[in-house]
Amino acid sequence: MDGTLVDSTAAVARTWGRFAARHGLDAAEVLASAHGQRTAETVAAHAPAGTDLAAETAWLVAQDVADTDGTVAVPGAAAFLASLPADRWALVTSAGRDLAVRRMAAAGLPLPGVLVSADDVAAGKPSPEGFLKAAAMLGADPASAVVFEDAELGLLAARAAGCYPVVVGGHDGPAAQGRPRIPDFTAVSCTSSETDGLRLVLPEPVATRTAVLPV
């Protein structure tokens, strides 16, 4: 969601900046490690010894839910989601369910019927659990699923699930190497038919193939 469909950069930076200030941490270091990871895991990695991790995580989530100033849709995301059959896409996010609903609404984007949040999995990304659960709920083979991701952990999770990862934005970590890449969704199209299945077209030169998924 964040960085893929929704640009919540400013709000995310504010929240983790508050966390860093509370504990005398380097805000840039905390923010760099938080991308694509569940809040609880980032808190556990950076909070000083003796911190009540559950209470701190709850405080951070409340901060996130309350602060959506500047949250907007990634260019082309609204039109792209509108082109997808409602029962053929899912949102798999490291955000909690309440935050996912709040940020999608703030960006003016619809929610799919299948939403797998940080609250719905035992292990966050890079575990493939979220993507595998979403595929099962959609009744789809993970190998037929295209995953749009902007973070290293998410790309690793998609690959581990056996999906077809597409990089959104400028992330250039190891998991992004050799993968199709789009700057945003402005030139991505999707059509569906009973005879041709679901046809997803990525713009040249970032992609050299058309993903055709069975109906």
Side-chain angles (χ1 to χ4, degrees):
M1 180 184 64
D2 292 307
T4 304
L5 294 173
V6 172
D7 182 354
S8 55
T9 305
V12 170
R14 288 192 295 268
T15 295
W16 286 113
R18 296 183 193 110
F19 169 76
R22 277 161 66 91
H23 299 289
L25 303 171
D26 184 318
E29 181 179 338
V30 173
L31 185 60
S33 71
H35 196 48
Q37 185 168 246
R38 294 188 298 179
T39 300
E41 291 157 348
T42 305
V43 170
H46 293 280
T51 300
D52 184 330
L53 300 182
E56 194 68 12
T57 298
W59 178 84
L60 275 162
V61 169
Q63 295 285 308
D64 270 334
V65 170
D67 183 0
T68 58
D69 287 351
T71 298
V72 297
V74 167
F80 174 65
L81 294 182
S83 75
L84 298 175
D87 60 346
R88 298 295 298 276
W89 71 283
L91 179 61
V92 181
T93 177
S94 295
R97 183 168 291 267
D98 290 345
L99 180 57
V101 171
R102 174 82 165 154
R103 282 199 178 141
M104 289 288 280
L109 297 176
L111 286 171
V114 175
L115 167 58
V116 179
S117 74
D119 305 324
D120 303 314
V121 295
K125 301 170 185 178
S127 165
E129 182 183 352
F131 290 124
L132 292 175
K133 184 169 185 175
M137 294 172 71
L138 289 171
D141 179 352
S144 74
V146 176
V147 169
F148 292 94
E149 267 286 356
D150 74 313
E152 185 75 6
L153 295 179
L155 291 166
L156 290 171
R159 189 168 63 186
C163 303
Y164 183 81
V166 174
V167 185
V168 181
H171 175 69
D172 62 355
Q177 301 307 306
R179 300 306 312 165
R181 179 187 298 275
I182 57 174
D184 53 42
F185 291 94
T186 54
V188 181
S189 64
C190 180
T191 59
S192 61
S193 72
E194 291 298 325
T195 57
D196 201 27
L198 189 63
R199 182 176 291 271
L200 179 68
V201 181
L202 306 180
E204 298 287 357
V206 295
T208 57
R209 64 177 265 183
T210 298
V212 181
L213 310 183
V215 172

